[in-house]
Amino acid sequence: MEGAEGMGMKFLREDIKRSFANPGFFTGFFGLGALLAYNFVTESLHSGSPYYAIVNILAVSGFTVFLPVFPVLGYASRFCGEYESGYYRLILARMKPQKFARVRIISVALSGGAIVALPYLFICLLAVALETPEMADMNSLGLNASGVNVLKIPEDIEMAKIGMTYGIGLMVALKVLLGFLFGAAWALVGLAFAVWMPNQYVALIAPFVLYESLYILMPSNRLNPALLVRGDDAGHLLSAALGGVWLLAAAAVAMAGFKRRCRDA
Amino acid sequence: MRKVIKISMAVRIAFGTLRQEMGSLRVIMGYLLGMTFLALALNDFFGYAMDIKEPVNIFEAFVVMENQGIAGRFWVLGYLLIIANAPFVRRNTYMLLYRSGRRVWNTGMLLYVLIQTFAYAGCLAVGSVAAGIPCGFFGRLWSSPVYLLATNASGAIAEKYRVFFEGAAMMKHMTVLQAFGITFLYLFCYFAFLGILLYVCNLVLGGFWGLMAVATVHLGGAVLSFTAGLHQSPVYYVDGAGSQWRYPGMICGFIFVMALVSMAAVERVDIQAR
């Protein structure tokens, strides 16, 4: 007979598979991909600079206002259906609430993070592939032969400095990491709402409301999640660290909700 | 006398449905979503007003915000969430049908949609007025920031603050209160049209088709506003000759026709399947 540990790992594998193989994941993935592709085509195509394209798509264009909609679509609201149907009791009959919570938190975080990170990666690779530096663009930052910034990229933004110092690969990697942390954190916020108030509409909409409230109430604060996902305002490393803090905080709230919700199951 | 009784029954059904629906988390989230999109739009407008350090008329924010793309495309999402379960068949619906008849019940449901439309549009209007009180004044006059917005031909303000207002004609022919009223009417008419369309399509064809019809109309309207210049905001229709009344009149006509269709259809549809 399979041990409890083996069963737990098997449940984790199955839950991760489900978190990626559901319509919400593909809706979020293709929705965000379409939005980023639209921004690329309308604002950055044929700009002659992959740096400009990536900066413009991921920092300047206004899609960050709607970003938290996508990771929540993946797997965050799954618990609502399990709770309403009573299926979660069958799960709890075979494992402790803490184990169930850990498994679900991991799968939701991975799913939400992938929904944001993968489109980020694809659009950055597309920008690098299509936007070959042209003219006298020696350092790909929109400078012409005379050193005039014709594409108007601020040279003092951290992303530009990282690109110039370490290459575009690290720049893309940092952006994808920030996107992953953002997606994972906000998917867990959705899970936290789902666990504390098992209603699908709350799980899908409340994270967006919370995000916009933070966006409006702390426009220049480094804890503003919209600034953290961009990384340029607070610094990429600090943004990654704070993104991790958001993720852990959301996971803690979700865990507390699981303990409370599953206590009397 | 029987007609009066039927009307009062329809009104009671409408308010009874309102009481039942307002307790639903879906409806609460719909209002919250609408307020969130309103706050996003107001954030840009008041940011602009505070930057140039001039007060605004408390009624102007609603007029200007209704003109923005985010208002036209996203304010409706909260409203659609509120009325998403049209035709509002609940456990007590059969008792209502038995006691009032299908037509009276249908009238009650149409009234409910209109009441929710008024409440939602009212929340958006009141919210924008309330948000403007700390940095605004009350009166009939237009403020300097809005005047600058309307007359800023270069679009520099729009680019910097993401706010634009093409209401020079509106400012010329109307006071702020009149503009507020006509803007509210336009918003109410559009939402009511979508709500009644959703209700009628869900009643006659089923849930999926109602949503498809509303999505087609809404997205089609957005495309037409870009390509053919057919806008929903009254700022484009005010010309001092009363042209601004054509749109509400047309919408009311469509709503009336859809209401007649629902009256005919309700006698035949299988309510249980809805």
Side-chain angles (χ1 to χ4, degrees), chain B residues 164-177:
Chain B
F164 67 91
F165 183 55
E166 292 165 1
M170 179 180 259
M171 294 176 74
K172 185 179 169 192
H173 296 292
M174 286 185 164
T175 64
V176 175
L177 290 173

Side-chain angles (χ1 to χ4, degrees), chain A residues 65-66 197-199 201-202 205-206 208-209 212-213 215-216 219, chain B residues 25-26 29-30 32-33 36-37 39-40 43 70 74 81 84 162:
Chain A
V65 174
F66 302 104
M197 299 177 77
N199 181 286
Y201 298 105
V202 174
I205 293 167
F208 177 71
V209 174
E212 301 304 340
S213 306
Y215 182 85
I216 290 168
Chain B
L25 275 173
R26 174 180 45 77
M29 295 314 297
L32 213 51
L33 188 63
T36 302
F37 282 122
L40 269 178
N43 188 46
I70 192 170
F74 296 108
L81 191 60
R162 296 188 301 267

